[in-house]
Amino acid sequence: MSYEPKSVAAAAALLREGKLCAFPTETVYGLGADATDADAVLSIYETKGRPRFNPLIIHCADLAMAETLAEFSPLARRVAALWPGSLTLVLPARPDNGLADVATAGLDTVAIRIPDHKLALELIAAVGHPLAAPSANPSGRLSPTTAEQVRRGFGGKVPVLDGGPCRAGVESMIIRVEGERLVQLRAGAVAREEIERKLGVVVAVAAKDAAVAAPGMLASHYAPNALMRLNAEPQAGEAFLAFGNAPEFAGPMRNLSAAGDLHEAARNLFSMLHELDAAGAEVIAVAPIPEAGLGEAINDRLVRAAAPRG
C-alpha cells in the first residue's frame, strides 16, 4: 500500500516532488501530476496504460492560471464564465505555456477546466502549477467516484487524497471553441441543453468518427470487466443495471434511479457498474436510458463501455 496523504498540504508535497497523487473532483477522481513536469506526466500514461496520443485535461485553480495556458476568444470567455464546473474547454495553446508537450499529446490545443470542488482547488493552488489529471483508473476501465475504487483499481499503489464520493459521478463535458462556433467533443456532467440555454448559443456535436482531439473520445472506454448488453432485458446468469420502474430479477441488480431521475442516474453510473462487476457476472444487461439532458452523457459512457475491445 502506498503512502496516503491525509491533507491537501501532504498531497501537494507529493505532486511538487514529481510524484502522482489521485484527488477528488465533483465529477470523478483524477490521477494528478504537475502538468509542467514531463516525467511526472509520463508516469500518468505509464501508470494508467494510457495511449500517448490521448491528451489529458489540465486542471486550473482559477481563470488567471488558465489564461497562462490558452488563448481565450470572446466566445471562450463567455463559456469560461460558467467555471468552476464540470465543463472542459479545448482552446488554442499559448506558445511557451510551460506545459509538458506529452500532456497535450502534441496537439496545438489544450483541454482546460476549473473543477467545482473545494479540495481540488485548494490542492492546485497549493502546488502552484496546473495539474494534468485524467480519471484515476487503468486506461479503458470504469472511472472511480470514491477513493476506495482508486485504491482497488491500482492495487493500492497510487496515493489518494480522500474527499468522499464524487457528487456528479461522470466526467466533464468537453467543448471545443472554433471561431464563433461551439462543438461538443464529449457529453458530460453538464447537459448540452443547459449550456445552450445559459449562453444562448447552439452547441454542435462532433462526428462520431472525429479525430481524437480531447480525452474520452476513444471508441472503447469506461469498460467494466464484464461484457455489456444495452437497451436489454436481463437473462439468467447476467447482472442487471436498471433504470426507473424495473422488472423483478433474481440476479445481481442495481437501479440507477428508481424515480427515473437522470441526475441521480449519472451520479450512480460508475459506482453501480463497479458493484455489478464485482458480483462476477460475465455480462451486464442495461435497461434503456432516455437520451434527453444528462441521458446523452450516460448513454455515451454506456456505448463506449459496450464497444468491442482491442
Side-chain angles (χ1 to χ4, degrees), residues 207-234:
K208 293 188 182 300
D209 59 353
V212 174
M217 294 183 70
L218 298 181
S220 178
H221 209 42
Y222 313 115
N225 292 311
L227 299 176
M228 307 269 289
R229 289 198 309 116
L230 305 186
N231 303 314
E233 293 186 2

Side-chain angles (χ1 to χ4, degrees), residues 79-291:
V79 185
L82 301 176
W83 284 336
S86 307
L87 173 65
T88 294
L89 281 179
V90 175
L91 301 171
R94 277 189 179 277
D96 303 319
N97 61 13
L99 294 176
D101 287 344
V102 68
T104 58
L107 300 174
D108 59 3
T109 56
V110 58
I112 302 175
R113 87 177 184 101
I114 300 174
D116 188 13
H117 194 288
K118 182 174 181 289
L119 278 184
L121 294 176
E122 290 177 356
L123 180 62
I124 301 165
V127 174
H129 289 154
L131 298 181
S135 55
N137 57 302
S139 186
R141 293 303 178 185
L142 295 172
S143 297
T145 58
T146 67
E148 182 54 33
Q149 289 167 7
V150 178
R151 295 184 190 105
R152 285 203 307 267
F154 292 117
K157 296 178 181 178
V158 171
V160 188
L161 178 63
D162 193 340
C166 302
R167 65 178 183 271
V170 293
E171 298 84 358
S172 62
M173 176 193 199
I174 301 179
I175 288 179
R176 181 171 60 209
V177 180
E178 298 178 349
E180 295 303 311
R181 186 168 176 257
L182 301 180
V183 179
Q184 176 181 273
L185 302 182
R186 179 180 75 181
V190 180
R192 184 160 44 93
E193 295 90 338
E194 182 180 344
I195 300 298
E196 291 177 331
R197 178 177 54 79
K198 288 181 175 179
L199 296 178
V201 176
V202 172
V203 179
V205 177
K208 293 188 182 300
D209 59 353
V212 174
M217 294 183 70
L218 298 181
S220 178
H221 209 42
Y222 313 115
N225 292 311
L227 299 176
M228 307 269 289
R229 289 198 309 116
L230 305 186
N231 303 314
E233 293 186 2
Q235 300 176 359
E238 296 181 338
F240 183 41
L241 186 64
F243 177 79
N245 189 15
E248 295 277 340
F249 183 62
M253 174 176 164
R254 295 290 185 276
N255 196 326
L256 289 170
S257 174
D261 183 321
L262 289 169
H263 283 84
E264 181 182 18
R267 186 167 60 248
N268 288 334
L269 178 63
F270 286 130
S271 284
M272 288 187 172
L273 282 173
H274 274 285
E275 291 166 7
L276 291 178
D277 212 25
E282 293 185 1
V283 177
I284 300 173
V286 183
I289 310 292
E291 276 286 345

